[in-house]
Amino acid sequence: MPLTPVQVLWVNMVTAVTLSLALAYEPAEPGIMRRPPRGSGGSIVGGRELGFVLLLSLLIGGATLAVFGISLASGNDLAVARTEAVTMLALGQLAYLLNCRFLTRSSLTFDVFRGNPAIGWSALALIVLQLVYAYAPFMNSLFGSEPLTITGWLLPIAFSIGIFLAVEVLKAMRRAGDKSADTATLYANA
């Protein structure tokens, strides 16, 4: 198995404590009050949003499995491969947090690091906790993790950047689809 149950618990605990709290302090996006309200009687999470969440879950889960598989194929032992996979899962969720900063525009801007100091502190806390997870001997024995070499960090970081960029492409496609639908509605009402 790529991750043990206690490693999954670690990722859930660390991301809930760090990344989820950062979103609680997120200021409203500009123009949020100009958006039309959701229709009454509809579900909170529509089919389109659910599809986006499922696709993102497949991206992060697939990247985690890929990092695990590549690490094993490179000759690393199981504990190192699992540590890289846990790191990938945590960094992948950090990448998505940055994507979530702006839902209606691109996050490929330095603005993603401004406006909410909790984001920077949460990212730093997550990285420090992952370093403790990987390098503290008591954590190694508790979670079955192993210290990573510098190259052991490269795959999780590269895949996390890939996830960030892939989500930005999906957001751009969604914005383009929304503009097309708005244009079609405008012409239909004219």
Side-chain angles (χ1 to χ4, degrees):
M1 289 191 358
L3 302 175
T4 65
V6 73
Q7 290 171 332
V8 172
L9 181 63
W10 167 259
V11 172
N12 287 338
M13 182 179 64
V14 165
T15 57
V17 169
T18 58
L19 304 182
S20 299
L21 283 176
L23 287 177
Y25 294 99
E26 186 65 28
E29 271 191 86
I32 195 167
M33 295 307 290
R34 288 190 292 268
R35 294 183 197 165
R38 268 194 318 261
S40 64
S43 66
I44 292 175
V45 179
R48 186 169 151 179
E49 287 79 16
L50 183 60
F52 193 78
V53 168
L54 290 173
L55 183 58
L56 181 69
S57 298
L58 288 173
L59 271 173
I60 293 176
T64 301
L65 291 173
V67 165
F68 177 75
I70 292 168
S71 181
L72 281 179
S74 298
N76 290 322
D77 68 6
L78 183 61
V80 170
R82 283 180 171 163
T83 304
E84 287 186 35
V86 167
T87 302
M88 172 59 237
L89 198 51
L91 293 180
Q93 291 184 42
L94 175 59
Y96 185 58
L97 171 72
L98 296 176
N99 290 120
C100 289
R101 290 287 324 274
F102 307 118
L103 298 177
T104 58
R105 66 183 178 114
S106 174
S107 294
L108 284 170
T109 173
F110 282 110
D111 288 346
V112 80
F113 298 110
R114 297 185 198 130
N116 182 358
I119 295 290
W121 289 111
S122 294
L124 179 64
L126 176 72
I127 291 167
V128 167
L129 288 169
Q130 272 309 118
L131 289 169
V132 170
Y133 172 84
Y135 297 108
F138 75 95
M139 295 294 274
N140 295 153
S141 62
L142 186 62
F143 289 100
S145 60
E146 286 288 325
L148 297 177
T149 63
I150 295 295
T151 57
W153 286 88
L154 294 180
L155 269 178
I157 290 170
F159 272 85
S160 296
I161 292 169
I163 286 170
F164 178 83
L165 295 174
V167 172
E168 286 304 308
V169 168
L170 291 171
K171 285 170 47 179
M173 290 169 44
R174 187 174 184 167
R175 286 191 304 271
D178 288 347
K179 285 181 184 176
S180 296
D182 290 345
T183 303
T185 302
L186 181 66
Y187 285 122
N189 291 335

